[in-house]
Amino acid sequence: MKKSIVKDFENIVGKEHCFTNPLDLSFYSYDAYPERPIFPDIVVQPTNYEQVEKIVKLCNKASIPLTVRGAGTNLSGGSVPVKGGCVLLTTALDRIIEINTEDLYAIVQAGVVTQKLADAVAEKGLLYPPDPASMKVSTIGGNVAENSGGLRALKYGVTSNYLMGVKFFDSDGNFVAGGGKPVKLVSGFNLPGLMLSSEGLFGVMVEFILKLIPPPEAKKTMLVYYSDIIKASETVSKIIASRILPATLEILDNFTIRTVEKFHRIGLPTSADAILLIEIDGHPAAIEDEYKKIYKICRSLKGEVHIARTEEERDKLWQARRDALSSLALLRPTLILEDATVPRSKVPEMMQLIRKISKKYEIIIGTFGHAGDGNLHPTILTDKRDKKEMKRVKAAIDEIFEETLKLDGTLSGEHGIGIAKSKYLEREIGLDTIKFMRKLKNGIDEKGIFNPGKVLR
Ligand SMILES: Cc1cc2nc3c(=O)[nH]c(=O)nc-3n(C[C@H](O)[C@H](O)[C@H](O)COP(=O)(O)OP(=O)(O)OC[C@H]3O[C@@H](n4cnc5c(N)ncnc54)[C@H](O)[C@@H]3O)c2cc1C
């Protein structure tokens, strides 16, 4: 990048918020998806909207690729600057502007960490439900750009169910505001909807209005042990089919259970083939009724039901689930977390297929995930330096997605397409849909400065 352009960036954000030395740049050359690192030319950290506007205008004028980055926890390569250029960090745009307890919304900046918002809202006696397992570090901007879900998504939905308004800078540096504070709003196009799952391809989002809800009165958390994972997955389908919607319905396979237990020693049953983590919430009387029905279903499929008796026990169970990915990551140098999502009734079939694929390609796959949503995370443990094994891993991933699509599933339930899955996208949505998406992208971002090389390639 020319020295004069670096100077322009420095003039906008100040030298202390502009990074160009290779060590600094290296931190922004990768994210949570194991691809080869690609260095940006410059990283800038704006502290206000005026600076964002100027950065976008400069990038557009000089045709500099612009990749927005929150915490870089995405699992599809979305924040890797594949064409170099400028990485815009949102981490200094981290103000919770308002928590409105009368109209039940919050106004927050893009770089607010999800957990920080959840805690601030809880202090006011309200709930912001989307709770990705990465919420201690992920940002609201990243959550919107990926339409992130979480452990509570089964009952409470994902980020899209809470996004009421968005403010962003388009490629000309214009300040666009979509949506607003009323819960009913149909003036003009649905711009919040457009920006959801946009993976940084449509603009730099700086501010959001998010819906809040009253928290449930009571909760009950169960851990159910199974000696056969298929019976555990059948339990999931049966609970949903019986019209009960738990807040959470998560599955961990034996490999994941043993790994979490090895690193965290929280007393999980390492001999179980699978466990389900079920939480129901709502009015205490309704919970008791639902609990009886769930208990019956679990027992009919030979599940052994244990209830968390104290808050502490409950927290331990949640931690076990949240630690699943980080525990698996300790086992081998490379972890590839997939996001295959199928209709819920197909969870048992998908579980069986993943097992078969793991055996066929002789690779380790630990599976856990939001079973109640049909959103499974087959997690491949490998070493990207081992070329032979990586060949088998790639073939296994191709097969997992082939089978997912055959079961009317989708390539991504929550992690997005990014670089990781762009090669499969046409198979899921068809060429005409790809063409329409391209027209949309080209119309919004004529020079293609926003996050080039992602989703549509
Ligand atoms: C351990 C672990 C657990 C996880 N668990 C979950 C889970 O339970 N559910 C889930 O859905 N995901 C999960 N994820 C994935 C990830 O945390 C989410 O995708 C998250 O929303 C990314 O947020 P981020 O701030 O890290 O965004 P980044 O990774 O920095 O960015 C993600 C994408 O959004 C774009 N982007 C970011 N901010 C903006 C903005 N302000 N304007 C425009 N574009 C922007 C980026 O360009 C990029 O394409 C997990 C990841 C890890 C590592």
Side-chain angles (χ1 to χ4, degrees), residues 31-32 67-75 78-79 90 110 131-134 137-151 198-200 203-206 208 321 325-326 337 370 377 414-415 451:
D31 54 29
T67 304
V68 187
R69 184 179 177 108
T73 65
N74 81 89
L75 290 150
S79 49
T90 62
D131 59 342
S134 53
V137 281
S138 71
T139 65
I140 295 294
N143 291 179
V144 173
E146 299 283 351
N147 195 8
S148 295
L151 306 192
S198 58
E199 300 194 39
V204 183
M205 296 185 281
V206 288
F208 307 99
R321 165 60 185 88
L325 180 58
S326 45
L337 178 72
H370 319 295
H377 293 316
E414 56 185 20
H415 297 163
N451 215 358

Side-chain angles (χ1 to χ4, degrees), residues 246-307:
T248 303
L249 185 33
E250 299 282 309
I251 197 163
L252 275 75
D253 73 355
N254 174 267
F255 188 76
T256 312
I257 298 168
R258 279 188 290 125
T259 310
V260 172
E261 190 52 28
K262 181 172 164 190
F263 293 110
H264 299 283
R265 304 251 171 246
I266 49 179
L268 293 178
T270 48
S271 60
D273 196 35
I275 54 176
L276 291 181
L277 178 57
I278 307 174
E279 185 162 287
I280 43 179
D281 66 11
H283 188 278
I287 288 184
E288 275 321 303
D289 185 50
E290 284 183 355
Y291 168 66
K292 280 183 200 142
K293 288 180 186 154
I294 290 177
Y295 181 85
K296 230 169 144 185
I297 293 171
C298 293
R299 291 301 299 140
S300 73
L301 287 154
K302 303 209 166 25
E304 200 185 300
V305 184
H306 298 261
I307 296 180

Side-chain angles (χ1 to χ4, degrees), residues 70-333:
T73 65
N74 81 89
L75 290 150
S76 48
S79 49
V80 176
V82 293
K83 301 265 158 83
C86 172
V87 163
L88 185 155
L89 272 185
T90 62
T91 44
L93 300 170
D94 62 350
R95 254 185 348 112
I96 297 176
I97 297 167
E98 183 187 354
I99 294 178
N100 189 302
T101 53
E102 271 192 333
D103 286 327
L104 306 190
Y105 63 77
I107 303 182
V108 301
Q109 293 189 325
V112 168
V113 169
T114 318
Q115 182 78 58
K116 190 178 152 198
L117 173 66
D119 291 345
V121 163
E123 260 179 41
K124 305 246 179 200
L126 290 168
L127 177 69
Y128 176 66
D131 59 342
S134 53
M135 69 190 290
K136 278 188 189 161
V137 281
S138 71
T139 65
I140 295 294
N143 291 179
V144 173
E146 299 283 351
N147 195 8
S148 295
L151 306 192
R152 283 191 285 249
L154 174 57
K155 180 167 177 177
Y156 293 101
V158 298
T159 305
S160 60
N161 300 95
Y162 298 90
L163 184 66
M164 297 167 72
V166 62
K167 289 184 176 163
F168 64 94
F169 287 93
D170 73 6
S171 59
D172 295 321
N174 292 330
F175 191 49
V176 185
K181 293 172 186 170
V183 283
K184 292 180 80 180
L185 190 160
V186 288
S187 307
F189 295 152
N190 180 358
L191 296 184
L194 178 73
M195 297 312 281
L196 276 158
S197 319
S198 58
E199 300 194 39
L201 269 69
F202 289 163
V204 183
M205 296 185 281
V206 288
E207 196 176 300
F208 307 99
I209 304 175
L210 301 168
K211 183 165 89 178
L212 307 175
I213 60 168
E217 271 181 57
K219 294 174 187 161
K220 201 174 194 106
T221 311
M222 288 156 261
L223 189 62
V224 194
Y225 309 166
Y226 289 86
S227 56
D228 176 0
I229 195 166
I230 302 307
K231 295 262 184 257
S233 352
E234 281 168 13
T235 305
V236 174
S237 310
K238 262 199 158 173
I239 290 175
I240 303 292
S242 72
R243 294 176 171 71
I244 300 171
L245 220 47
T248 303
L249 185 33
E250 299 282 309
I251 197 163
L252 275 75
D253 73 355
N254 174 267
F255 188 76
T256 312
I257 298 168
R258 279 188 290 125
T259 310
V260 172
E261 190 52 28
K262 181 172 164 190
F263 293 110
H264 299 283
R265 304 251 171 246
I266 49 179
L268 293 178
T270 48
S271 60
D273 196 35
I275 54 176
L276 291 181
L277 178 57
I278 307 174
E279 185 162 287
I280 43 179
D281 66 11
H283 188 278
I287 288 184
E288 275 321 303
D289 185 50
E290 284 183 355
Y291 168 66
K292 280 183 200 142
K293 288 180 186 154
I294 290 177
Y295 181 85
K296 230 169 144 185
I297 293 171
C298 293
R299 291 301 299 140
S300 73
L301 287 154
K302 303 209 166 25
E304 200 185 300
V305 184
H306 298 261
I307 296 180
R309 302 274 162 208
T310 60
E311 268 302 296
E312 200 192 348
E313 256 183 70
R314 182 180 167 269
D315 289 348
K316 263 168 97 182
L317 293 180
W318 279 106
Q319 207 47 49
R321 165 60 185 88
R322 288 212 160 91
D323 286 344
L325 180 58
S326 45
S327 305
L328 288 167
L330 294 169
L331 292 181
R332 300 225 32 215

Side-chain angles (χ1 to χ4, degrees), residues 9 52-68 78 80-88 169-174 198-204 440-454 457:
F9 280 115
V52 177
E53 178 186 340
K54 286 181 179 163
I55 293 164
V56 174
K57 282 185 172 158
L58 174 59
C59 287
N60 202 30
K61 193 167 159 222
S63 298
I64 297 168
L66 173 56
T67 304
V68 187
V80 176
V82 293
K83 301 265 158 83
C86 172
V87 163
L88 185 155
F169 287 93
D170 73 6
S171 59
D172 295 321
N174 292 330
S198 58
E199 300 194 39
L201 269 69
F202 289 163
V204 183
L440 204 56
K441 165 73 175 164
N442 295 342
I444 289 173
D445 176 18
E446 257 174 88
K447 286 190 175 173
I449 59 161
F450 288 131
N451 215 358
K454 312 289 167 58
R457 290 201 167 177

